[in-house]
Amino acid sequence: MEEIKTLTVEDVKDILKIGRNRAYDIFAREDFPAILLGRKYIVEENALKNWLQKRRK
């Protein structure tokens, strides 16, 4: 079984080199593939990569 790598808001903040508030803004977007588990947001690493690719111009 393939392991699914997930990222937290803090992980995404560090990867994208943005502030925490901006990271939460991204997670709140309707087109962002965030998953809310209780009070914690996560995103699958591959879903983040795909989302970023789609936003490239």
Side-chain angles (χ1 to χ4, degrees):
M1 180 179 224
E2 183 181 337
E3 182 178 331
I4 298 173
K5 171 108 168 125
T6 60
L7 305 167
T8 64
V9 173
E10 284 292 316
D11 295 330
V12 172
K13 173 185 81 74
D14 293 341
I15 290 167
L16 299 180
K17 296 179 179 29
I18 58 176
R20 180 180 292 193
N21 289 342
R22 182 68 181 125
Y24 274 106
D25 289 344
I26 290 171
F27 271 76
R29 291 175 57 111
E30 285 191 29
D31 67 331
F32 189 74
I35 301 166
L36 183 59
L37 297 176
R39 293 177 48 177
K40 182 178 180 179
Y41 278 114
I42 62 169
V43 63
E44 291 181 29
E45 183 177 43
N46 288 335
L48 173 63
K49 287 178 184 178
N50 291 337
W51 184 80
L52 289 169
Q53 285 286 0
K54 287 178 186 176
R55 297 191 48 79
R56 250 188 201 173
K57 295 191 179 196

